[in-house]
mmCIF file of all heavy atoms in Angstrom:
data_model
loop_
_atom_site.group_PDB
_atom_site.id
_atom_site.type_symbol
_atom_site.label_atom_id
_atom_site.label_comp_id
_atom_site.label_asym_id
_atom_site.label_seq_id
_atom_site.Cartn_x
_atom_site.Cartn_y
_atom_site.Cartn_z
ATOM 1 N N PHE F 1 -1.202 -16.334 -6.085
ATOM 2 C CA PHE F 1 -1.244 -17.268 -4.979
ATOM 3 C C PHE F 1 0.274 -17.494 -4.361
ATOM 4 O O PHE F 1 0.636 -18.554 -3.950
ATOM 5 C CB PHE F 1 -1.777 -18.577 -5.284
ATOM 6 C CG PHE F 1 -3.208 -18.525 -5.808
ATOM 7 C CD1 PHE F 1 -3.650 -19.315 -6.767
ATOM 8 C CD2 PHE F 1 -4.161 -17.553 -5.212
ATOM 9 C CE1 PHE F 1 -4.963 -19.170 -7.198
ATOM 10 C CE2 PHE F 1 -5.408 -17.384 -5.549
ATOM 11 C CZ PHE F 1 -5.877 -18.208 -6.658
ATOM 12 N N THR F 2 1.045 -16.438 -4.368
ATOM 13 C CA THR F 2 2.302 -16.516 -3.872
ATOM 14 C C THR F 2 2.439 -15.270 -2.906
ATOM 15 O O THR F 2 1.719 -14.370 -3.007
ATOM 16 C CB THR F 2 3.535 -16.362 -4.949
ATOM 17 O OG1 THR F 2 3.407 -15.072 -5.604
ATOM 18 C CG2 THR F 2 3.358 -17.550 -5.953
ATOM 19 N N LEU F 3 3.515 -15.290 -2.084
ATOM 20 C CA LEU F 3 3.797 -14.164 -1.206
ATOM 21 C C LEU F 3 4.091 -12.764 -1.877
ATOM 22 O O LEU F 3 3.506 -11.816 -1.546
ATOM 23 C CB LEU F 3 4.912 -14.413 -0.171
ATOM 24 C CG LEU F 3 5.206 -13.489 0.915
ATOM 25 C CD1 LEU F 3 3.962 -13.423 1.896
ATOM 26 C CD2 LEU F 3 6.376 -13.915 1.767
ATOM 27 N N PRO F 4 4.972 -12.901 -3.008
ATOM 28 C CA PRO F 4 5.206 -11.685 -3.661
ATOM 29 C C PRO F 4 3.871 -11.057 -4.381
ATOM 30 O O PRO F 4 3.739 -9.745 -4.381
ATOM 31 C CB PRO F 4 6.206 -12.043 -4.766
ATOM 32 C CG PRO F 4 6.964 -13.298 -4.239
ATOM 33 C CD PRO F 4 5.898 -14.011 -3.492
ATOM 34 N N GLY F 5 3.015 -11.857 -4.820
ATOM 35 C CA GLY F 5 1.789 -11.453 -5.281
ATOM 36 C C GLY F 5 0.910 -10.713 -4.305
ATOM 37 O O GLY F 5 0.357 -9.708 -4.591
ATOM 38 N N MET F 6 0.965 -11.258 -3.185
ATOM 39 C CA MET F 6 0.174 -10.700 -2.095
ATOM 40 C C MET F 6 0.786 -9.494 -1.557
ATOM 41 O O MET F 6 -0.019 -8.450 -1.337
ATOM 42 C CB MET F 6 0.252 -11.604 -0.862
ATOM 43 C CG MET F 6 -0.926 -11.464 0.258
ATOM 44 S SD MET F 6 -1.052 -12.914 1.250
ATOM 45 C CE MET F 6 0.508 -12.994 1.896
ATOM 46 N N VAL F 7 2.131 -9.303 -1.631
ATOM 47 C CA VAL F 7 2.728 -8.077 -1.269
ATOM 48 C C VAL F 7 2.493 -6.962 -2.323
ATOM 49 O O VAL F 7 2.217 -5.806 -1.875
ATOM 50 C CB VAL F 7 4.371 -8.207 -1.247
ATOM 51 C CG1 VAL F 7 5.083 -6.986 -1.241
ATOM 52 C CG2 VAL F 7 4.687 -9.260 -0.146
ATOM 53 N N ILE F 8 2.308 -7.244 -3.598
ATOM 54 C CA ILE F 8 1.910 -6.284 -4.651
ATOM 55 C C ILE F 8 0.512 -5.588 -4.264
ATOM 56 O O ILE F 8 0.418 -4.359 -4.115
ATOM 57 C CB ILE F 8 1.942 -6.914 -5.921
ATOM 58 C CG1 ILE F 8 3.288 -7.325 -6.437
ATOM 59 C CG2 ILE F 8 1.234 -5.830 -7.037
ATOM 60 C CD1 ILE F 8 3.348 -8.030 -7.713
ATOM 61 N N GLY F 9 -0.445 -6.485 -3.960
ATOM 62 C CA GLY F 9 -1.785 -5.979 -3.572
ATOM 63 C C GLY F 9 -1.684 -5.223 -2.297
ATOM 64 O O GLY F 9 -2.382 -4.126 -2.261
ATOM 65 N N GLN F 10 -0.967 -5.570 -1.351
ATOM 66 C CA GLN F 10 -1.069 -4.864 -0.048
ATOM 67 C C GLN F 10 -0.242 -3.602 -0.224
ATOM 68 O O GLN F 10 -0.553 -2.556 0.515
ATOM 69 C CB GLN F 10 -0.346 -5.753 1.048
ATOM 70 C CG GLN F 10 -1.237 -6.894 1.444
ATOM 71 C CD GLN F 10 -0.560 -7.883 2.459
ATOM 72 O OE1 GLN F 10 0.714 -7.869 2.554
ATOM 73 N NE2 GLN F 10 -1.462 -8.612 3.187
ATOM 74 N N THR F 11 0.739 -3.544 -1.001
ATOM 75 C CA THR F 11 1.460 -2.297 -1.328
ATOM 76 C C THR F 11 0.542 -1.264 -1.912
ATOM 77 O O THR F 11 0.478 -0.082 -1.502
ATOM 78 C CB THR F 11 2.709 -2.555 -2.289
ATOM 79 O OG1 THR F 11 3.553 -3.501 -1.589
ATOM 80 C CG2 THR F 11 3.433 -1.167 -2.476
ATOM 81 N N LEU F 12 -0.316 -1.655 -2.877
ATOM 82 C CA LEU F 12 -1.253 -0.721 -3.457
ATOM 83 C C LEU F 12 -2.213 -0.377 -2.468
ATOM 84 O O LEU F 12 -2.929 0.797 -2.615
ATOM 85 C CB LEU F 12 -1.935 -1.422 -4.633
ATOM 86 C CG LEU F 12 -1.072 -1.763 -5.808
ATOM 87 C CD1 LEU F 12 -1.864 -2.528 -6.886
ATOM 88 C CD2 LEU F 12 -0.453 -0.499 -6.502
ATOM 89 N N LEU F 13 -2.622 -1.171 -1.510
ATOM 90 C CA LEU F 13 -3.530 -0.772 -0.439
ATOM 91 C C LEU F 13 -2.923 0.272 0.422
ATOM 92 O O LEU F 13 -3.614 1.318 0.794
ATOM 93 C CB LEU F 13 -3.845 -2.095 0.397
ATOM 94 C CG LEU F 13 -4.873 -1.860 1.562
ATOM 95 C CD1 LEU F 13 -6.113 -1.375 1.117
ATOM 96 C CD2 LEU F 13 -4.850 -3.178 2.432
ATOM 97 N N ALA F 14 -1.635 0.225 0.799
ATOM 98 C CA ALA F 14 -0.977 1.105 1.714
ATOM 99 C C ALA F 14 -0.640 2.522 1.132
ATOM 100 O O ALA F 14 -0.477 3.492 1.664
ATOM 101 C CB ALA F 14 0.160 0.385 2.425
ATOM 102 N N LEU F 15 -0.282 2.450 -0.284
ATOM 103 C CA LEU F 15 0.258 3.492 -0.899
ATOM 104 C C LEU F 15 -0.582 4.814 -0.846
ATOM 105 O O LEU F 15 0.034 5.941 -0.565
ATOM 106 C CB LEU F 15 0.536 3.132 -2.488
ATOM 107 C CG LEU F 15 1.284 4.091 -3.350
ATOM 108 C CD1 LEU F 15 2.602 4.329 -2.606
ATOM 109 C CD2 LEU F 15 1.433 3.646 -4.718
ATOM 110 N N PRO F 16 -1.889 4.742 -1.089
ATOM 111 C CA PRO F 16 -2.689 6.046 -0.938
ATOM 112 C C PRO F 16 -2.642 6.664 0.518
ATOM 113 O O PRO F 16 -2.642 7.854 0.645
ATOM 114 C CB PRO F 16 -4.057 5.637 -1.229
ATOM 115 C CG PRO F 16 -4.030 4.428 -2.067
ATOM 116 C CD PRO F 16 -2.791 3.711 -1.520
ATOM 117 N N ILE F 17 -2.554 5.751 1.456
ATOM 118 C CA ILE F 17 -2.401 6.298 2.811
ATOM 119 C C ILE F 17 -1.105 7.052 3.110
ATOM 120 O O ILE F 17 -1.084 8.087 3.507
ATOM 121 C CB ILE F 17 -2.495 5.065 3.864
ATOM 122 C CG1 ILE F 17 -3.841 4.389 3.830
ATOM 123 C CG2 ILE F 17 -2.296 5.561 5.357
ATOM 124 C CD1 ILE F 17 -3.919 3.145 4.602
ATOM 125 N N VAL F 18 -0.068 6.459 2.465
ATOM 126 C CA VAL F 18 1.291 7.084 2.650
ATOM 127 C C VAL F 18 1.362 8.413 1.894
ATOM 128 O O VAL F 18 1.767 9.457 2.407
ATOM 129 C CB VAL F 18 2.283 6.168 2.157
ATOM 130 C CG1 VAL F 18 3.727 6.801 2.246
ATOM 131 C CG2 VAL F 18 2.313 4.859 3.081
ATOM 132 N N VAL F 19 0.913 8.367 0.717
ATOM 133 C CA VAL F 19 0.891 9.661 -0.099
ATOM 134 C C VAL F 19 0.026 10.753 0.387
ATOM 135 O O VAL F 19 0.534 11.866 0.589
ATOM 136 C CB VAL F 19 0.436 9.256 -1.645
ATOM 137 C CG1 VAL F 19 0.400 10.577 -2.442
ATOM 138 C CG2 VAL F 19 1.446 8.351 -2.222
ATOM 139 N N SER F 20 -1.217 10.443 0.602
ATOM 140 C CA SER F 20 -2.122 11.448 1.122
ATOM 141 C C SER F 20 -1.739 12.014 2.569
ATOM 142 O O SER F 20 -1.772 13.361 2.670
ATOM 143 C CB SER F 20 -3.588 10.983 1.146
ATOM 144 O OG SER F 20 -4.065 10.695 -0.055
ATOM 145 N N TRP F 21 -1.430 11.192 3.330
ATOM 146 C CA TRP F 21 -1.126 11.606 4.773
ATOM 147 C C TRP F 21 0.251 12.309 4.863
ATOM 148 O O TRP F 21 0.399 13.222 5.638
ATOM 149 C CB TRP F 21 -1.332 10.484 5.769
ATOM 150 C CG TRP F 21 -2.692 10.105 6.000
ATOM 151 C CD1 TRP F 21 -3.737 10.167 4.994
ATOM 152 C CD2 TRP F 21 -3.281 9.526 7.127
ATOM 153 N NE1 TRP F 21 -4.960 9.756 5.675
ATOM 154 C CE2 TRP F 21 -4.697 9.162 6.945
ATOM 155 C CE3 TRP F 21 -2.750 9.039 8.313
ATOM 156 C CZ2 TRP F 21 -5.550 8.757 7.796
ATOM 157 C CZ3 TRP F 21 -3.651 8.538 9.272
ATOM 158 C CH2 TRP F 21 -4.982 8.412 9.064
ATOM 159 N N THR F 22 1.135 11.934 4.070
ATOM 160 C CA THR F 22 2.458 12.589 3.937
ATOM 161 C C THR F 22 2.196 13.994 3.350
ATOM 162 O O THR F 22 2.704 15.001 3.906
ATOM 163 C CB THR F 22 3.452 11.701 3.082
ATOM 164 O OG1 THR F 22 3.687 10.489 3.662
ATOM 165 C CG2 THR F 22 4.802 12.654 3.134
ATOM 166 N N ALA F 23 1.456 14.061 2.388
ATOM 167 C CA ALA F 23 1.140 15.428 1.750
ATOM 168 C C ALA F 23 0.496 16.377 2.770
ATOM 169 O O ALA F 23 0.792 17.449 2.919
ATOM 170 C CB ALA F 23 0.198 15.340 0.500
ATOM 171 N N GLN F 24 -0.404 15.800 3.510
ATOM 172 C CA GLN F 24 -1.105 16.669 4.556
ATOM 173 C C GLN F 24 -0.178 17.041 5.688
ATOM 174 O O GLN F 24 -0.292 18.095 6.090
ATOM 175 C CB GLN F 24 -2.265 15.721 5.133
ATOM 176 C CG GLN F 24 -3.098 16.537 6.164
ATOM 177 C CD GLN F 24 -4.317 15.680 6.764
ATOM 178 O OE1 GLN F 24 -4.618 14.630 6.126
ATOM 179 N NE2 GLN F 24 -4.840 16.134 7.796
ATOM 180 N N ALA F 25 0.763 16.145 5.984
ATOM 181 C CA ALA F 25 1.707 16.454 7.087
ATOM 182 C C ALA F 25 2.613 17.655 6.641
ATOM 183 O O ALA F 25 3.002 18.561 7.346
ATOM 184 C CB ALA F 25 2.606 15.241 7.354
#
C-alpha cells in the first residue's frame, strides 16, 4: 500500500513486454 510497492508490481507487468518485443525487434 505504498508507491514503491505499486511500482514493483507494475515493473513486473511491463517487463515481459520489453523483453519479448525487444528480442523480436
Side-chain angles (χ1 to χ4, degrees):
F1 302 144
T2 65
L3 189 62
M6 194 163 59
V7 168
I8 292 173
Q10 291 177 338
T11 300
L12 294 178
L13 178 65
L15 193 58
I17 298 174
V18 177
V19 173
S20 291
W21 287 28
T22 300
Q24 183 177 348

